């Protein structure tokens, strides 16, 4: 009995509590046999029996921890965002507690009015092996989780969302990459992701079979072998997930907690948890729209030349971009003589001539490259700057181990030296690099429209709440050949985009990306002038974003302001509905003009049916949005 009491005494819990500035979000950290925590909102327990640990050089930091001190801090600041993909100013308001433990490590928790985050920090000298990290989250009831499953660490991060009950998620099931969205049994939803990821692998999650999830990580690759022109085989892995500085701060693990679904879209958690911008002067970073050649197969018509990968075709794209004020075009795969050589073009392409012609029309060229070619020719950024190339699209990374995460950073840093923009495809989600290096203007990592027949609109409606809620997303919208799902025939040479025309147009307002693509053929855009005129008037950076109304998996209405104009976009799922939009977000009481595009009366069957109308409005006005199934609505108030 005495021994039992001694054991209890030795592991007597020490509790540290932390609340958000408005008092709604609470975290209770228990330091006992391990470090565990629970999370509450308005007194309701949302997460319970959550455990964290870090295995460093064979020792588990978090096992039998000894709490030495607790340091508290409150921060309330407004950050001016370098490249305002969502808002020009971002509020960073939280209460923090740093728990310093014996053994050279600490854990910092932050409680925001809209969520919770924590991270490890360690001390030491030289390098250390991180053998593993434990991130275990438990649920007090069976919750619904929206996740993208993958069977392995080699993935393009483009799988559709699957909804599963957390108490049915078994260890034998596939793992999921981040972010994931959890619907609690109350009115709250929880978005789970990570930020300030550097020199460390991305985190994946698996079910435990006990109504909880736990982290898994790719090991650090040590040896590679050939695997075609755009990949490598991992021949040997370490027994650790990272070899890194012994003294460092580790990535943030965070939870956005929303009482209303629209708060998921409004969050800026990835940004505020990221390390600050490392560019002395990022003013040269110019996001913008881009005319894209790949999705439409370079199919143009009504011309007197053979369309394809050649100068005449790309001059046609440049002329189109110039007419509508689009700052960039992309030369996707096929422009280079070999995908392994980033310098020699096919005979039909003359890059200096295209650069010269583009400059005469205020249009820049973005060049597509496989990541392996970039890795083997890291000097290409200097050469491309000399050519006059403002940006690159880098593709097929399809991994997120420590080596590959570091590749992203090396690319971002080297490209920034030469004022070159970067769009990552075949990539994991945004996790903070885009704040440190704002020349990283977008990431794919999404089941976007390039998936054609597999890009189902019932999946797309989840994207604003999950994938796009953690950072910029290169979905590649803009189909003028719109179709309802049952009518979709996505075959060459006329690919289709699912959802109504108004929905495709609304994506330019709803979706966030620093390089928003126009995926369809310039010939189609010319034929649909009034739609194209609206699409190309939509900015990609914003002074202010307001999410007006939203329900996960059903609909979303977003308003974004640039200077004196408000752009509004709405997207809908497969159920026809009417929504009432209040215009009380307009800044003053003066009369304004609303010009909008809505689903036509036949859009439920013929998806490219739309109407365009204008009316006088003020901040006291309301507008009824009649959204067809997989429909949309978009407009501008000025």
């Amino acid at each position: 009995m005495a021994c039992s009491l001694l054991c209890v005494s030795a592991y007597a819990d020490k509790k540290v509590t932390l609340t958000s500035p408005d008092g709604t979000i609470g975290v209770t950290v228990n330091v006992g046999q391990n470090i565990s925590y629970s999370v509450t909102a308005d007194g309701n327990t949302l997460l319970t029996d959550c455990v964290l640990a870090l295995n460093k050089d064979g020792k588990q930091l978090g096992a039998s921890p000894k709490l030495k001190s607790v340091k508290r801090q409150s921060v309330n600041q407004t950050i001016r965002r370098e490249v305002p993909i969502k808002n020009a100013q971002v509020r960073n308001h939280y209460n923090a507690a740093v728990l310093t433990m014996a053994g050279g490590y600490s854990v910092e928790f932050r409680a925001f009015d809209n969520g919770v985050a924590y991270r490890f920090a360690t001390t030491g000298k030289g390098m250390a092996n991180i053998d593993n990290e434990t991130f275990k989250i438990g649920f007090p009831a069976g919750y619904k989780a929206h996740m993208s499953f993958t069977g392995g660490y080699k993935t393009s991060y483009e799988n559709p969302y699957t909804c599963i009950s957390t108490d049915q998620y078994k260890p034998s099931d596939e793992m999921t990459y981040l972010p994931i969205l959890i619907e609690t049994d109350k009115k709250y939803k929880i978005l789970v992701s990570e930020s300030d990821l550097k020199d460390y692998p991305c985190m994946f999650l698996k079910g435990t079979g006990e109504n909880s999830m736990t982290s898994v990580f790719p090991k650090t690759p040590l040896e590679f072998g050939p695997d075609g022109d755009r990949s490598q085989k991992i021949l040997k892995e370490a027994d650790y997930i990272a070899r890194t500085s012994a003294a460092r701060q580790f990535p943030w693990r965070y939870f956005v907690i929303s009482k209303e679904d629209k708060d998921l879209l409004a969050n800026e958690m990835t940004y505020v948890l990221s390390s600050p911008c490392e560019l002395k002067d990022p003013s040269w970073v110019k996001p913008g729209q881009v005319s894209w050649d790949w999705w439409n197969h370079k199919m143009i018509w009504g011309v007197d030349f053979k369309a394809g990968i050649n100068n005449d075709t790309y001059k046609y794209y440049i002329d189109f971009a110039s007419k509508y004020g689009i700052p960039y075009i992309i030369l996707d795969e096929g422009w280079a003589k070999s995908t392994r050589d980033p310098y020699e073009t096919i005979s039909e392409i003359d890059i200096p001539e295209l650069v010269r012609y583009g400059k005469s029309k205020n249009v820049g060229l973005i060049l597509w490259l496989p990541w392996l070619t970039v890795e083997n020719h890291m000097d290409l950024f200097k050469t491309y700057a000399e050519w006059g190339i403002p940006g690159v699209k880098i593709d097929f990374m399809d991994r997120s181990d420590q080596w590959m995460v570091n590749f992203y950073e090396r690319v971002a840093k080297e490209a920034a030296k030469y004022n070159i923009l970067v769009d990552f495809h075949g990539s994991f989600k945004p996790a903070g690099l885009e704040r440190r290096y704002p020349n990283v203007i977008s990431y794919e990592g999404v089941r976007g429209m390039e998936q054609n027949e597999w890009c189902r609109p019932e999946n797309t409606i989840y994207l604003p709440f999950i994938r796009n809620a953690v950072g910029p997303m290169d979905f590649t919208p803009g189909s003028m050949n719109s179709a309802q799902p049952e009518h979709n025939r996505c075959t060459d040479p006329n690919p289709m985009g699912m959802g109504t025309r108004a929905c495709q147009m609304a994506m330019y307002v709803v979706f966030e990306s620093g390089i928003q693509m126009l995926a369809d053929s310039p010939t189609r855009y010319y034929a649909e002038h009034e739609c194209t005129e609206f699409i190309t008037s939509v900015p990609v950076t914003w002074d202010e974003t307001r999410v007006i109304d939203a329900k996960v998996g059903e609909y979303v209405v977003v308003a974004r302001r640039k200077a004196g104009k408000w752009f509004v976009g709405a997207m809908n799922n497969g159920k026809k509905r009417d929504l009432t939009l209040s215009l009380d977000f307009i800044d003053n009481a003066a009369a304004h003009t609303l010009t909008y595009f809505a689903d036509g009366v036949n859009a439920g069957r013929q998806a490219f049916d739309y109407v365009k109308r204008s009316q006088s409005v003020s901040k006291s006005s309301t507008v009824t949005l009649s959204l067809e199934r997989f429909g949309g609505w978009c407009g501008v108030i000025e």
Side-chain angles (χ1 to χ4, degrees), residues 310-521:
N310 56 53
N311 267 30
D312 285 337
T313 299
Y314 285 118
K315 285 185 176 182
Y316 184 90
Y317 278 80
I318 289 169
D319 288 342
F320 162 71
S322 179
K323 174 179 172 62
Y324 286 100
I326 302 168
Y328 305 108
I329 71 163
I330 280 184
L331 277 66
D332 214 290
E333 184 168 6
W335 66 270
K337 191 171 184 180
S338 166
T339 53
R340 290 183 167 90
D341 184 345
Y343 305 119
E344 187 176 0
T345 67
I346 61 173
S347 59
E348 296 84 356
I349 291 291
D350 182 345
I351 292 291
E353 170 58 18
L354 289 177
V355 169
R356 182 204 65 77
Y357 189 76
K359 283 184 176 179
S360 74
K361 304 272 187 169
N362 295 315
V363 177
L365 273 59
I366 293 175
L367 300 181
W368 174 93
L369 295 159
W371 75 267
L372 187 56
T373 303
V374 178
E375 172 62 17
N376 292 332
H377 300 275
M378 201 61 83
D379 58 346
L380 63 81
F381 297 105
K382 181 177 185 296
T383 301
Y384 284 5
E386 293 168 353
W387 287 4
I389 300 296
V392 291
K393 173 183 173 181
I394 302 176
D395 209 347
F396 292 110
M397 286 75 69
D398 295 345
R399 293 179 7 229
S400 54
D401 49 61
Q402 182 191 22
W403 189 97
M404 188 57 80
V405 169
N406 289 344
F407 168 80
Y408 281 58
E409 179 159 347
R410 287 189 289 113
V411 165
K413 184 179 295 188
E414 193 66 18
K417 286 182 186 177
Y418 301 101
N419 291 11
I420 288 179
L421 306 175
V422 179
D423 176 24
F424 284 119
H425 267 235
S427 65
F428 56 81
K429 82 285 172 194
L433 180 66
E434 65 282 359
R435 180 178 178 188
R436 295 167 55 218
Y437 292 95
N439 59 311
V440 177
I441 54 175
S442 200
Y443 302 74
E444 191 186 26
V446 62
R447 197 173 191 83
M449 204 169 73
E450 74 169 33
Q451 293 284 345
N452 276 354
E453 71 179 294
W454 301 284
C455 177
R456 306 288 300 183
E458 53 266 41
N459 185 76
T460 300
I461 194 65
Y462 281 92
L463 297 178
F465 302 93
I466 307 177
R467 167 59 184 85
N468 214 182
V470 305
M473 176 185 79
D474 197 359
F475 179 87
T476 66
S479 171
M480 296 291 99
N481 192 17
S482 307
Q484 290 290 359
E486 68 273 18
H487 300 141
N488 182 49
R489 303 290 184 272
C490 54
T491 57
D492 295 348
N494 296 301
M496 291 180 168
M498 280 184 271
T500 68
R501 171 70 61 79
C503 182
Q504 284 284 327
M505 295 172 65
M507 290 176 182
Y508 288 89
V509 182
V510 174
F511 291 162
E512 298 170 10
S513 178
I515 184 167
Q516 198 70 277
M517 297 198 189
L518 279 77
D520 217 328
S521 167

Side-chain angles (χ1 to χ4, degrees), residues 260-266 464-465 509-510 544-551 555-561 566-571 579-586 619 621-623 625 633 635 637:
E260 296 185 60
D261 292 3
K262 64 182 183 178
D263 297 336
L264 293 167
L265 284 73
F465 302 93
V509 182
V510 174
E544 182 181 359
T545 292
R546 297 193 191 184
V547 185
I548 308 302
D549 195 6
K551 191 168 184 180
Y555 63 87
V556 58
V557 185
V558 178
R560 302 186 193 268
R561 181 178 61 82
W566 281 97
F567 290 80
V568 183
M571 295 171 59
L579 298 173
T580 300
L581 170 65
S582 171
L583 302 185
D584 58 1
F585 53 83
I586 295 176
K619 69 183 291 111
S621 300
T622 59
V623 179
L625 313 186
W633 188 100
I637 303 167

Side-chain angles (χ1 to χ4, degrees), residues 39-314:
V39 177
T40 61
D42 298 314
N44 300 283
T45 299
L46 302 183
L47 299 173
T48 186
D49 299 323
C50 303
V51 178
L52 54 91
L54 190 72
N55 293 51
K56 177 186 175 188
D57 288 333
K59 297 180 180 179
Q60 187 177 62
L61 309 183
S64 303
K66 295 181 180 179
L67 179 62
K68 292 175 63 178
S69 66
V70 178
K71 181 181 179 181
R72 296 182 180 272
Q73 181 186 25
S74 295
V75 170
N76 187 5
Q77 62 180 178
T78 298
I79 306 168
R80 185 156 193 88
R81 194 165 182 163
E82 296 79 15
V83 178
I85 303 296
K86 188 190 294 278
N87 295 290
Q89 294 186 331
V90 181
R91 192 181 186 196
N92 187 27
H93 192 198
Y94 63 86
N95 292 329
V98 179
L99 286 66
T100 300
M101 309 290 179
Y105 72 100
S106 61
V107 183
E108 179 179 359
F109 279 85
R110 292 183 183 177
F112 300 81
D113 292 343
N114 68 332
V116 170
Y118 81 81
R119 70 174 171 189
F120 273 96
T122 55
T123 60
K125 295 182 179 180
M127 303 296 287
N129 291 344
I130 305 302
D131 306 310
N132 201 4
E133 179 187 346
T134 300
F135 168 91
K136 181 182 178 184
I137 51 175
F139 312 107
Y143 291 166
K144 287 200 301 184
H146 301 279
M147 303 179 289
S148 294
F149 286 126
T150 177
Y153 294 115
K154 185 174 177 59
T155 173
S156 62
Y157 311 89
E158 297 177 21
N159 296 329
Y161 293 117
T162 298
C163 183
I164 187 173
S165 179
T166 56
D167 56 5
Q168 298 297 312
Y169 190 14
K170 298 178 174 58
S172 58
D173 293 336
E174 292 180 313
M175 59 186 173
T176 178
Y177 46 81
L178 299 178
I180 67 169
L181 180 64
I182 297 167
E183 296 191 46
T184 73
D185 59 345
K186 300 177 178 65
K187 56 186 174 181
Y188 309 95
K189 293 183 175 66
I190 306 172
L191 182 72
V192 184
S193 199
E194 59 189 341
S195 187
D196 211 26
L197 178 73
K198 47 190 173 185
D199 198 26
Y200 204 76
C202 283
M203 182 169 70
F204 294 70
L205 296 177
K206 277 188 72 71
T208 66
E210 299 175 346
N211 201 26
S212 60
M213 298 183 198
T214 191
S215 56
V216 288
F217 295 86
K219 301 290 188 181
T220 299
L222 297 177
E223 293 180 12
F224 301 96
D227 188 23
D229 65 340
R230 62 198 66 191
S231 186
Q232 287 182 326
K233 289 180 181 178
I234 297 174
L235 301 179
K236 183 179 179 181
E237 292 180 332
D239 56 3
Y240 48 78
I241 64 172
R243 179 162 177 77
T244 186
S245 298
R248 63 162 292 177
Q249 294 173 324
F250 289 83
W252 287 101
R253 284 63 181 89
Y254 73 72
F255 309 94
V256 174
I257 300 170
S258 68
K259 193 182 298 185
E260 296 185 60
D261 292 3
K262 64 182 183 178
D263 297 336
L264 293 167
L265 284 73
N267 96 86
E268 293 263 26
M269 196 71 81
T270 302
Y271 181 84
V272 298
L273 291 172
S274 302
S275 296
C277 177
E278 297 188 22
L279 303 185
K280 290 183 179 179
D281 179 14
S283 62
W284 61 268
V285 176
K286 303 295 184 186
Q289 293 183 340
V290 57
S291 179
W292 185 35
D293 61 341
W294 184 89
W295 189 81
N296 58 77
H297 309 289
K298 304 161 195 70
M299 290 295 180
I300 57 179
W301 54 95
V303 294
D304 58 1
F305 57 85
K306 186 87 168 177
I309 304 175
N310 56 53
N311 267 30
D312 285 337
T313 299
Y314 285 118

Side-chain angles (χ1 to χ4, degrees), residues 598-618:
D599 292 326
V601 67
N602 293 304
R605 294 179 60 232
Q606 181 55 278
F608 52 70
D609 185 30
Y610 72 92
V611 294
K612 177 188 178 184
R613 294 188 176 129
S614 294
Q615 65 186 76
S616 180
V617 296
S618 69

